[in-house]
Amino acid sequence: MTQSIKLVGVGGQGTILAAKVICDALINAGYDVKMSEIHGMSQRGGSVSSEIRFGDNVFSPVIEKGKADVLIAFELMEAERAIDYLSGDGLLIVNNHKINSMVTLNGKVPYPSGIVEDLKSKVHTIVINASEQAKALGNAKVMNIMMLGALVNAYQLNNLDIEAAIEHTVKEKYIGLNKKAFNKGKEL
Amino acid sequence: MRKLLTGNEAIARGAYEAGVHFASAYPGTPSTEILENVGLYDEIIAEWAPNEKVALETVIGASIAGGRALAAMKHVGVNVAADPLFTFAYTGVNGGAVLISADEPGMHSSQNEQDNRNYAKFAKIPMLEPSSSQEAKDMVKIAFELSERFDTIVMIRLTTRVCHSKSMVTLEDRLTVQPKKYEKNFNKYVAVPAIGRQLRHKVEDRLNKLKIFTDETNLNMVVDNNQSKGVIVSGMAYQFAQEALGDTVNYLKLGFTHPLPKEKIDDFCQQHETVYVIEENDPYIESFAKELGHKVIGRDVFPYTGELTPDVIRRAILSQNIESLTVNEDKVVNRPPTFCSGCPHRGFFYELGKKRKKIIVAGDIGCYSLAVGQPYDMMDWLICMGAAYSTGHGAQTITDLKKDDDRRLVSVMGDSTFFHTGINSLLNTVYNGGKTINIILDNRITGMTGQQDNPGSGYKLQGDSAQIGDIKAICKALGIKHVKKINPNDLDEVKATINWALELDEMSVIITNWPCVLKKRYKEEDFETYKDMWQTQDTVLQDTCTGCKACLRSGCPSLVFDKEKGKMSIDKTTCVGCDVCLQICPFDAIVKVGETA
């Protein structure tokens, strides 16, 4: 059976790198894997998403609305924006962290409140303070890999060798820090 | 060895394995990464061309000289390259030649939706359509074999989801292909009318041979699930259809789609009670099947635009809707793309937009098209690459005919777009005595597609140092009298220069010159030319800030307004010290870090 994971965030958060790490681990675990992303203008502060499908034999690289088994959101508002992709009995893992958009930066529109409560009322939701935890580890950027720690725990992907995937994917001098972040994520 | 590759990476790998000698492209989503990845192979000479026509023409030259050569472009790029394409279809090749067209159903980052399969039919050349990364790689190799066997350029049509999705690919070794000998052949390569008339027959003969080939090749194959319903499908739509319909239907999967296989389609239609045609963009296969007299179902049930993702197919064929959670619209606000912190276009658009009612702005394709949005709202139209100067000139001509309209046309484009086709448009204005104000936003890189080098950047695709095209000298050489090169981060200079241009009754060029903050490669002299480039930061003096928000008109995402305190602040992680906001602040509340009093 094909399973689907969707990752969403804001340009610069490392959404695509995180997806690459999972894909590498999935391939080494013997799955057929397809990954899809739409980029272009998104790197300029826009929404970014990456989709992973894995199983015995995957056809479409694209996840349909209502069909994702897991939604990992690196930013709060992006979780809400993409929630229609998640299946009603799916799992949402969300980083409790807000990034302003041009619209909220200038104070014209407030950053919406009550997002966590709204999400929890819809679907099984795990909220993590990954950005804070990553900062405490010494680099806010490893938030993405920390979220993967939470994923393998909550979605029972412990058969994946994520540490090896980190070694294949991440720049050499950041490997140690990313492994630390991954293991921290497993505890959260 | 098996590897997860995007379709674009797979095309590059295919070029490597096929023994390609030369490749050229102009970047454009979703095709950009093809040449970026070809460039990683030392065995292939990979180049950025200033536009797609030039890219294809260098490939034609490489092919005639005996090398295997590949050109890649996005769908609209083929419009630019169409002129040489059609004649190259007549002459044929020496070394194999392949053209990659990356189409965009759904227009994720394109200005129109066009089905370039029509180009293969129009130019009378063979075409392949892969549905996965593995096929993308394999089909490049097949395309080169076919190119040399049938003496023709071959087109490979990709779509965004093939280009940008990753799937598993088995890697193979590079074929050893020596460039073929070149011998002068007037009757093959010199397309004067007398020879063109002969070559015209060659094109038809070749098409007749290809019509036999397309019915024989297993690139067009039946997937038999023992069902009474059938689906004819090509490209990524094959994967989408399998996802939605699985083995409840039989498939005629078409990988070689020009010319289309008449007999296979006849047989398939006759053997099935109902036949659907699932294809993205135009009803290209559907029209062919209908011409053959078959009652296939296509656009009757499928939308004419956008991607045919599994949900679309399910809705159309099975009347199924998948239930999904609903997004609470109160909890999301837009996240529009915007100029980066420190983007050199920001200072220029801030000054251009300031209380200037007597201008009309002709836009172009590139990062600066983001100026259509808030807070700039700065673009009256945007047509295609290089069109700003020429559309501006046309509009100025008509505006000048009207007694009650004294507005001036300001045409904006970037350095890469100037080198692409803007240079021709500018020459047209000076030649015809136009009086537009022409801006070249020179950020020393091709920004929007992800920082590809160009004739003004100082570097070539594979990293070698390059001659820098001197834009100011080019403008002078075109015969333009009024040319000024300015620092766009100096608002006084920008303002004075725009006013200078508005007062002239002749055409002028303003070159705003400062590098893109994301540009990766610099020459030594750049650090002298662009003093303190991205080395400083700005900060807000909290006691002095009145919260007037004037600085927000710069549109910089590093500026954050704290509603509770009623004050601005600057995000330290993103500010690069361009000082644009500092100059805008009416209360001198923004200062350079380290220069604080």
Side-chain angles (χ1 to χ4, degrees), chain B residues 240-433:
Chain B
F240 290 156
Q242 283 219 336
E243 184 76 34
L245 308 171
D247 54 13
T248 63
V249 295
N250 293 345
Y251 298 92
L252 175 58
K253 193 246 184 223
L254 302 180
F256 187 91
T257 50
H258 190 256
L260 282 161
K262 178 184 175 300
E263 281 178 28
K264 278 182 178 162
I265 291 173
D266 277 340
D267 288 350
F268 192 79
C269 290
Q270 279 155 14
Q271 282 161 18
H272 294 88
E273 285 170 18
T274 316
V275 174
Y276 292 94
V277 181
I278 306 182
E279 58 187 326
E280 293 181 311
N281 284 148
D282 290 348
Y284 169 82
I285 302 169
E286 179 185 341
S287 303
F288 182 79
K290 284 181 173 167
E291 274 171 33
L292 295 176
H294 302 296
K295 282 182 183 152
V296 296
I297 304 166
R299 281 303 124 89
D300 324 83
V301 297
F302 296 114
Y304 60 83
T305 180
E307 297 178 299
L308 291 188
T309 43
D311 52 320
V312 178
I313 296 172
R314 259 192 214 105
R315 261 197 306 276
I317 296 188
L318 307 171
S319 302
Q320 276 180 5
N321 264 323
I322 293 170
E323 281 198 25
S324 68
L325 300 167
T326 43
V327 175
N328 187 339
E329 295 297 339
D330 298 340
K331 307 277 179 218
V332 284
V333 294
N334 282 345
R335 218 178 263 289
T338 178
F339 291 134
C340 304
S341 298
C343 174
H345 302 337
R346 179 173 290 113
F348 172 77
F349 281 111
Y350 170 78
E351 278 301 338
L352 184 66
K354 220 166 125 193
K355 296 179 201 152
R356 292 189 199 280
K357 302 281 179 223
K358 294 224 162 186
I359 56 167
I360 299 169
V361 180
D364 218 297
I365 312 287
C367 283
Y368 35 90
S369 64
L370 295 173
V372 296
Q374 291 299 327
Y376 312 102
D377 191 16
M378 256 341 305
M379 220 144 274
D380 284 77
W381 59 77
L382 186 160
I383 306 296
C384 69
M385 287 205 72
Y389 300 152
S390 29
T391 54
H393 170 68
Q396 186 76 72
T397 310
I398 299 304
T399 307
D400 288 350
L401 294 177
K402 302 174 194 167
K403 287 199 176 67
D404 57 346
D405 196 343
D406 59 354
R407 284 178 292 178
R408 290 292 299 277
L409 262 294
V410 180
S411 299
V412 294
M413 71 172 69
D415 48 325
S416 191
T417 314
F418 172 75
F419 290 122
H420 180 274
T421 38
I423 198 165
N424 307 325
S425 308
L426 201 57
L427 182 59
N428 173 65
T429 308
V430 64
Y431 167 66
N432 287 301

Side-chain angles (χ1 to χ4, degrees), chain A residues 35 53 59 64 78 101, chain B residues 166 242-243 314 334-335:
Chain A
M35 176 180 161
R53 307 196 72 224
F59 296 115
E64 300 163 62
E78 295 312 309
S101 85
Chain B
K166 293 194 178 202
Q242 283 219 336
E243 184 76 34
R314 259 192 214 105
N334 282 345
R335 218 178 263 289

Side-chain angles (χ1 to χ4, degrees), chain A:
Chain A
M1 213 191 78
T2 305
Q3 299 174 68
S4 304
I5 302 175
K6 187 171 172 91
L7 298 92
V8 296
V10 176
Q13 281 196 296
T15 313
I16 290 169
L17 179 72
K20 277 185 188 162
V21 170
I22 309 178
C23 283
D24 185 87
L26 287 166
I27 292 164
N28 286 326
Y31 292 106
D32 184 24
V33 180
K34 284 190 181 177
M35 176 180 161
S36 181
E37 63 194 58
I38 289 293
H39 59 259
M41 300 207 282
S42 50
Q43 36 187 327
R44 270 152 267 275
S47 307
V48 179
S49 74
S50 206
E51 304 183 342
I52 299 165
R53 307 196 72 224
F54 63 102
D56 296 332
N57 189 9
V58 182
F59 296 115
S60 167
V62 184
I63 303 174
E64 300 163 62
K65 284 191 176 169
K67 296 274 268 184
D69 299 290
V70 188
L71 176 66
I72 308 176
F74 295 173
E75 200 273 347
L76 213 45
M77 196 161 64
E78 295 312 309
E80 181 75 49
R81 197 190 308 280
I83 198 68
D84 51 347
Y85 279 88
L86 190 58
S87 147
D89 50 11
L91 168 68
L92 169 66
I93 306 174
V94 57
N95 177 22
N96 196 3
H97 177 69
K98 297 173 183 174
I99 297 178
N100 283 296
S101 85
M102 275 313 289
V103 192
T104 61
L105 276 174
N106 57 27
K108 272 185 196 159
V109 183
Y111 189 101
S113 59
I115 296 177
V116 171
E117 294 72 21
D118 187 63
L119 293 170
K120 280 187 168 170
S121 73
K122 285 177 186 156
V123 73
H124 179 44
T125 304
I126 299 174
V127 184
I128 313 175
N129 293 317
S131 289
E132 279 174 38
Q133 296 281 352
K135 224 183 262 174
L137 269 188
N139 189 337
K141 288 202 159 175
V142 294
M143 172 279 296
N144 59 345
I145 303 298
M146 197 173 280
M147 294 290 287
L148 296 191
L151 167 75
V152 297
N153 240 7
Y155 193 54
Q156 281 156 28
L157 287 171
N158 284 306
N159 59 325
L160 300 186
D161 191 348
I162 298 281
E163 293 204 24
I166 290 171
E167 285 170 20
H168 298 159
T169 315
V170 174
K171 271 191 197 147
E172 202 175 339
K173 66 173 180 177
Y174 296 116
I175 289 174
L177 182 64
N178 275 287
K179 282 187 184 173
K180 224 191 261 179
F182 171 69
N183 286 307
K184 180 75 192 171
K186 284 211 283 192
E187 295 165 14
L188 296 174

